[in-house]
Amino acid sequence: MRAMITGIAGFVGANLARTLLDAGTEVVGVDLVSESPSLRVLGVDVPILVRDITDWQRVHWAMLAGDGGRDWHPPDVVYHLAGKSHINECQRDPLGAWEANVRGTWAVLEACRNLPAGQIKAVVVASSNHVFGSLNKASVPTCTAGHRAYPAVRQDSARTAWLEDDPCGQTDVYGTSKGMVDLLVRAYGAMGLPVAALRHVNSFGPADPHRSHLVTGTICDLIEGKRPVIRGDGTAIKGYLHISDVCQAYLTMAAALQDGQLEPGRALNAGGEPIPVLSLVDMLIQIAGVDIVPNILGYDTTQSGYVEHLRSDWLEALGWRAGPFRESLWQTWAWYHEHKGMAWLSE
């Protein structure tokens, strides 16, 4: 089996490549760059085709012929991770977000659809937990007399967690672009392409180059003897998954598409155990074994009372389970401690 990963140079892409290689799968990548610190530190050395995913014909040719070598053969499974994932960046540049996340997705799916019949066994596309929005009282769709803003919302579950069949209610650029991704997956699934989308919560683990991420940034602060910074008031409740759990979710869905256990066009949730930001930071302080208190800035008022939790019923029915959360945090701490925080970025 040959797997192709778009966006392979990123945090999730590099870890997924490492996971597939360790499982004996042949891996090739598509990205705007041919190398990255994440790939290097994880020891991922695979062919990478430098392509713009928004050009479906170039992507199709890359899948069909690679760089023109005689030993090339098209991928059997495609993991489409490429796109813009920073919420603020998408808000500042909506057109760039539509181009990368929406046009990029239909271009990759169209390229897959035009390969010889039966070539593609599975396509798993990166969606996001942000398609739903927040579960706080101010933003959860509610039912009033004679009016229901979102008729399909499951009122018995919306207050505690989003389910796979709840509607996409987010209105920011990033969340909306990923909601469009879900619709594209549904449409191409109906056309016969074995495709599904994965919505996962915040991920953490080795080779994350983004210090702005809560777990990564907190660990690096603690390694450097600094007080961890909490931009909000610490009350936001979110789900978190170790990157190995995210990778296993992608593999589980690809296998389920191949053996007919997963209907094409579906979007599945991968949710971690929800935990308040302050509790998560405190847990990392305990793991680090230091006597320190976080610096709670409190200026990000959008995070006050924010609840972001997904139920993973359909994915768990396929056999996927997240690993022990505290153990995952400890393993992540140990990795960054061994690599001297973010020193690996410049090695």
Side-chain angles (χ1 to χ4, degrees):
M1 295 290 288
R2 166 173 280 197
M4 174 175 281
I5 303 173
T6 71
I8 192 172
F11 167 49
V12 178
N15 274 275
L16 180 57
R18 182 70 270 165
T19 301
L20 288 165
L21 290 169
D22 290 344
T25 302
E26 185 182 359
V27 177
V28 295
V30 174
D31 211 306
L32 290 175
V33 296
S34 60
E35 58 183 20
S36 74
S38 297
L39 290 169
R40 183 177 65 250
V41 76
L42 293 176
V44 176
D45 184 13
V46 300
I48 298 177
L49 305 172
V50 179
R51 300 288 190 277
D52 180 351
I53 60 163
T54 64
D55 186 336
W56 83 264
Q57 291 177 316
R58 288 200 72 201
V59 175
H60 176 251
W61 184 249
M63 290 180 178
L64 195 63
D67 277 331
R70 287 188 174 183
D71 60 345
W72 178 267
H73 61 89
D76 304 288
V77 178
V78 173
Y79 298 95
H80 174 47
L81 312 183
K84 292 187 180 295
S85 59
H86 294 283
I87 296 173
N88 291 336
E89 179 187 346
C90 290
Q91 202 67 22
R92 288 192 300 268
D93 180 21
L95 182 59
W98 309 140
E99 284 286 328
N101 294 348
V102 184
R103 183 185 179 91
T105 297
W106 71 249
V108 169
L109 296 183
E110 187 67 10
C112 291
R113 190 177 73 90
N114 280 275
L115 288 174
Q119 174 62 47
I120 294 293
K121 310 300 189 299
V123 183
V124 187
V125 177
S127 181
S128 173
N129 59 311
H130 286 279
V131 301
F132 296 117
S134 167
L135 286 168
N136 64 23
K137 293 181 180 179
S139 60
V140 175
T142 56
C143 181
T144 58
H147 174 71
R148 188 188 296 264
Y150 293 89
V153 168
R154 304 250 317 245
Q155 296 295 329
D156 61 335
S157 64
R159 290 298 185 272
T160 58
W162 294 114
L163 305 185
E164 280 96 343
D165 55 356
D166 280 331
C168 300
Q170 187 58 285
T171 57
D172 69 78
V173 173
Y174 175 70
T176 301
S177 73
K178 287 300 187 178
M180 295 182 196
V181 166
D182 288 2
L183 290 173
L184 286 168
V185 166
R186 186 188 306 174
Y188 275 88
M191 286 190 281
L193 189 68
V195 59
L198 173 64
R199 310 166 178 144
H200 67 80
V201 295
N202 306 278
S203 57
F204 64 90
D208 180 6
H210 305 293
R211 189 161 178 162
S212 60
H213 292 170
L214 179 64
V215 173
T216 305
T218 298
I219 288 175
C220 290
D221 284 342
L222 292 170
I223 289 173
E224 296 168 6
K226 300 176 181 177
R227 295 173 63 191
V229 174
I230 296 176
R231 293 186 292 271
D233 59 8
T235 62
I237 300 174
K238 301 182 180 183
Y240 299 84
L241 282 176
H242 191 268
I243 190 62
S244 62
D245 294 323
V246 174
C247 292
Q248 287 304 318
Y250 277 107
L251 269 60
T252 297
M253 290 178 64
L257 283 167
Q258 292 177 73
D259 62 22
Q261 291 188 65
L262 178 58
E263 180 184 355
R266 295 278 190 170
L268 272 58
N269 294 346
E273 188 67 27
I275 182 173
V277 167
L278 192 57
S279 297
L280 174 56
V281 172
D282 184 61
M283 192 178 295
L284 287 168
I285 290 172
Q286 294 176 36
I287 290 172
V290 296
D291 184 14
I292 199 170
V293 294
N295 181 15
I296 304 175
L297 301 179
Y299 68 74
D300 189 354
T301 58
T302 63
Q303 296 295 302
S304 299
Y306 190 92
V307 181
E308 179 183 273
H309 179 36
L310 305 184
R311 283 266 297 274
S312 310
D313 297 352
W314 295 352
L315 191 56
E316 290 179 4
L318 296 174
W320 176 87
R321 295 289 187 281
F325 184 62
R326 187 181 182 90
E327 181 178 332
S328 296
L329 285 177
W330 189 91
Q331 291 172 353
T332 304
W333 157 264
W335 190 92
Y336 282 94
H337 191 269
E338 179 185 351
H339 289 81
K340 299 179 176 59
M342 303 298 273
W344 57 274
L345 283 174
S346 56
E347 291 176 353

